[in-house]
Amino acid sequence: MKLAVVGGGSTYTPELIDGFARLRDTLPVEELVLVDPALDRLELVGGLARRIFAKQGHPGRITTTDDLDAGVAGADAVLLQLRVGGQAARNEDETWPLECGCVGQETTGAGGLAKALRTVPVVLDIAERVRRANPDAWIIDFTNPVGIVTRALLQAGHKAVGLCNVAIGFQRKFATMLGVAPTDVHLDHVGLNHLTWETHVRLGGPEGENVLPKLLAEHGDAIAGDLRLPSGVLDRLGVVPSYYLRYFYAHDEVVRELGTKPSRAAEVAEMERELLTMYGDPALDEKPALLGKRGGAYYSEAAVDLAASLLGGGGSPYQVVNTHNRGTLPFLPDDAVIEVQAAVGRSGAAPLPVAPVDPLFAGLMANVTAYEDLALEAALRGGRERVFRALLAHPLVGQYALADGLTDRLIAHNREHLAWA
């Protein structure tokens, strides 16, 4: 089995490599190709990746290349984890929206739209080249904004599934609180990428006992603390929102906070400098502890599990993924991309039935889905007016003067990445 990782020079790749090494019985990889145009980073990451495999006794071969077509040739699955513009572009996504009093964040709001506009054309070009090299290959997208990028891939007819680590993070957290194995915890995880709620936490499977009330009663303060929301908010909602909902539920508070400290991109850029220095040490043969602060916890386990199921291995029967709605949430179009539990196998992901969704959550999902429609249109066709319409539709913007100001800033900061600008 051959897998390719596009964006393989990321400092986060050793976490993925560690997962492949530890879970080799689940996903027996014979060849793993790390593809990245940044050869200096790629060689540092590739060297550490080989040492991790060697230390853990993995027999697979790891190669590196900056040649995309060569890297994906013959691959059974291609994982996308790229960042167009790097941390420098992310830093801008997180700062210029604050000038208008809006959240600066790389996956939602105006910053998220900027990332989508930069990313979608690049991902679609990669996907076309994957299809030419091997039309049967699966594309697993971990590139943000995952919902919009996955929708672009599916709309273009690619064999693609989107992946996020929010659900597996909750699964692990709740399992620890309950004193059970993570595999015993099944989440009723409902929403769009980075706009999700845990409406039930079941023991044993989709039909298991719902222990969410117990979790909220016994651990509500701790859960709310991790989300940086008052515990009373969780009591009133009766569900556990993802931490991204704080951008909606406490928008003005978040904007004030963001204006008083360096951007997350600046923090990550400093971490990356330290990590790359570590990766260059030939004695290092395991992922360093600092990598745990980089973000993306449990991504490796989720990626291995998903790839194993798609390729016919021993993956879990049910996984939280991003895929077409196809009537699962009746208030959204069939071709909307939702993030829910799905049965995953060689033929792809089939969403499990979802209980009726509270209008409090359904309304926000519908609003953001409309924004994502317009965002994808802007990413595919370009134009200032399409960018403006997407921003005006976003619930974190929603005012024409704000949308105008943000549109001008978005284009000014991203001109080199927007062919139409």
Side-chain angles (χ1 to χ4, degrees), residues 95-401:
T95 51
W96 55 261
L98 297 175
E99 298 170 5
C100 297
C102 293
V103 159
Q105 213 279 329
E106 64 158 342
T107 63
T108 192
L113 176 60
K115 192 172 195 302
L117 297 182
R118 293 193 304 269
T119 304
V120 166
V122 174
V123 166
L124 289 178
D125 176 66
I126 292 169
E128 284 299 331
R129 292 160 75 174
V130 170
R131 181 153 54 188
R132 288 199 299 268
N134 180 9
D136 292 327
W138 278 102
I139 294 175
I140 297 174
D141 177 60
F142 193 66
T143 296
N144 281 319
V146 168
I148 295 172
V149 172
T150 302
R151 184 163 183 179
L153 288 165
L154 292 174
Q155 184 171 293
H158 296 290
K159 292 178 61 177
V161 180
L163 180 64
C164 181
N165 67 318
V166 167
I168 193 172
F170 275 130
Q171 182 198 42
R172 300 304 173 88
K173 183 190 303 292
F174 295 158
T176 299
M177 290 175 171
L178 293 165
V180 301
T183 51
D184 290 333
V185 175
H186 179 94
L187 303 177
D188 285 7
H189 176 101
V190 180
L192 314 178
N193 179 241
H194 289 185
L195 194 85
T196 52
W197 296 262
E198 313 307 323
T199 60
H200 298 79
V201 178
R202 303 183 186 277
L203 290 181
E207 304 301 325
E209 176 192 2
N210 177 30
V211 295
L212 180 56
K214 170 184 170 71
L215 278 168
L216 289 176
E218 297 180 3
H219 302 282
D221 288 344
I223 296 169
D226 288 343
L227 301 174
R228 300 188 63 198
L229 289 170
S231 58
V233 172
L234 270 62
D235 293 337
R236 296 170 74 178
L237 294 176
V239 302
V240 177
S242 87
Y243 51 84
Y244 288 94
L245 265 299
R246 187 168 184 260
Y247 297 118
F248 295 82
Y249 293 160
H251 176 273
D252 293 352
E253 179 183 340
V254 172
V255 169
R256 288 192 294 271
E257 289 176 4
L258 293 175
T260 64
K261 60 182 182 180
S263 68
R264 173 63 177 165
E267 295 175 358
V268 171
E270 178 57 35
M271 272 185 240
E272 289 194 332
R273 285 189 284 271
E274 293 183 50
L275 287 168
L276 288 170
T277 299
M278 293 178 181
Y279 295 173
D281 180 357
L284 183 67
D285 57 7
E286 61 185 11
K287 62 178 183 179
L290 178 61
L291 189 54
K293 299 180 181 179
R294 170 69 176 77
Y298 308 117
Y299 161 45
S300 58
E301 284 92 338
V304 169
D305 203 17
L306 179 54
S309 293
L310 292 172
L311 299 176
S316 304
Y318 306 117
Q319 297 170 44
V320 173
V321 297
N322 285 261
T323 191
H324 270 152
N325 179 37
R326 294 192 288 260
T328 306
L329 300 178
F331 53 87
L332 297 181
D334 284 351
D335 63 350
V337 166
I338 61 174
E339 186 173 293
V340 294
Q341 286 279 3
V344 184
R346 286 183 180 274
S347 59
L352 300 183
V354 172
V357 178
D358 188 318
L360 181 61
F361 316 132
L364 187 53
M365 284 186 225
N367 192 337
V368 174
T369 296
Y371 151 75
E372 291 188 347
D373 288 348
L374 294 168
L376 182 54
E377 183 75 3
L380 294 174
R381 301 179 62 192
R384 186 189 187 282
E385 190 63 17
R386 293 189 181 92
V387 174
F388 169 80
R389 284 167 56 82
L391 286 168
L392 187 61
H394 201 293
L396 296 183
V397 181
Q399 300 179 62
Y400 73 86

